[in-house]
């Protein structure tokens, strides 16, 4: 996707504070953190949102959660707990139309979210 900000981050055209990278996934610190630990985990492949998922993406999403668990451990929040969420669409609070998973931790998170 030519004008997708997260595709540009994947291509290195926009810098990011990288936390993890492999052939399928990139994780970097959120530019506007909402918690002491706030990283985004994204597939390198452009998928617009949860609504854009296809059958073939099922393995990728499970993979992202496993990577998220590893990152949580590395960042020291695994034991106390954390949250991995993907906002979908306007009412879901999605502002970047490239599917991404927020990993939030390092403080007590409210439930339900606002
Ligand atoms: P959403 O609101 O779509 O669920 O989440 C998008 C997230 O991306 C927001 O938390 C926002 O702070 C973050 N974000 C937007 N643009 C950039 C950027 O250029 N770099 C980084 N690191 N984070 C970004
Ligand atoms: Zn994209």
């Amino acid at each position: 996707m030519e004008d997708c900000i997260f595709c540009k981050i994947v291509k290195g055209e926009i810098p990011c504070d990288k936390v993890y990278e492999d052939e399928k996934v990139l994780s970097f610190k959120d530019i506007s953190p909402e918690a002491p630990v706030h990283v985004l985990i994204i597939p390198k492949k452009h998928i617009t949102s949860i609504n854009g998922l296809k059958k073939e993406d099922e393995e990728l999403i499970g993979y992202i959660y496993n990577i998220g668990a590893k990152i949580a451990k590395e960042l020291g929040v695994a034991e106390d707990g954390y949250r991995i969420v993907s906002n979908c669409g306007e009412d879901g609070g999605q502002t970047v139309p490239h599917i991404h998973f927020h990993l939030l931790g390092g403080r007590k998170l409210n439930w339900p979210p606002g």
Side-chain angles (χ1 to χ4, degrees):
M1 280 286 283
E2 291 288 296
D3 56 355
C4 170
I5 190 166
F6 285 177
C7 283
K8 285 183 179 169
I9 288 177
V10 168
K11 285 188 264 176
E13 292 170 12
I14 294 175
C16 72
D17 197 344
K18 200 181 291 179
V19 172
Y20 175 88
E21 181 173 21
D22 64 27
E23 70 281 5
K24 286 185 278 202
V25 163
L26 178 68
S27 175
F28 49 95
K29 291 188 181 166
D30 196 291
I31 206 166
S32 179
E34 297 288 351
V37 169
H38 187 178
V39 305
L40 301 173
I41 308 165
I42 70 170
K44 289 189 168 176
K45 171 187 176 184
H46 182 90
I47 300 167
T48 306
S49 74
I50 296 169
N51 285 342
L53 287 171
K54 299 198 170 101
K55 183 88 184 147
E56 70 205 38
D57 300 318
E58 285 177 358
E59 201 178 314
L60 175 64
I61 301 308
Y63 182 74
I64 284 173
Y65 269 85
N66 258 327
I67 294 296
K70 279 190 191 135
I71 293 170
K73 203 170 174 189
E74 272 160 29
L75 298 181
V77 295
E79 207 170 308
D80 284 345
Y82 58 94
R83 189 174 293 162
I84 297 179
V85 287
S86 184
N87 299 326
C88 180
E90 200 179 336
D91 281 1
Q94 185 179 10
T95 57
V96 177
H98 178 131
I99 196 169
H100 50 282
F101 296 80
H102 297 260
L103 191 167
L104 297 143
R107 69 168 170 83
K108 183 93 181 155
L109 300 167
N110 299 322
W111 191 264

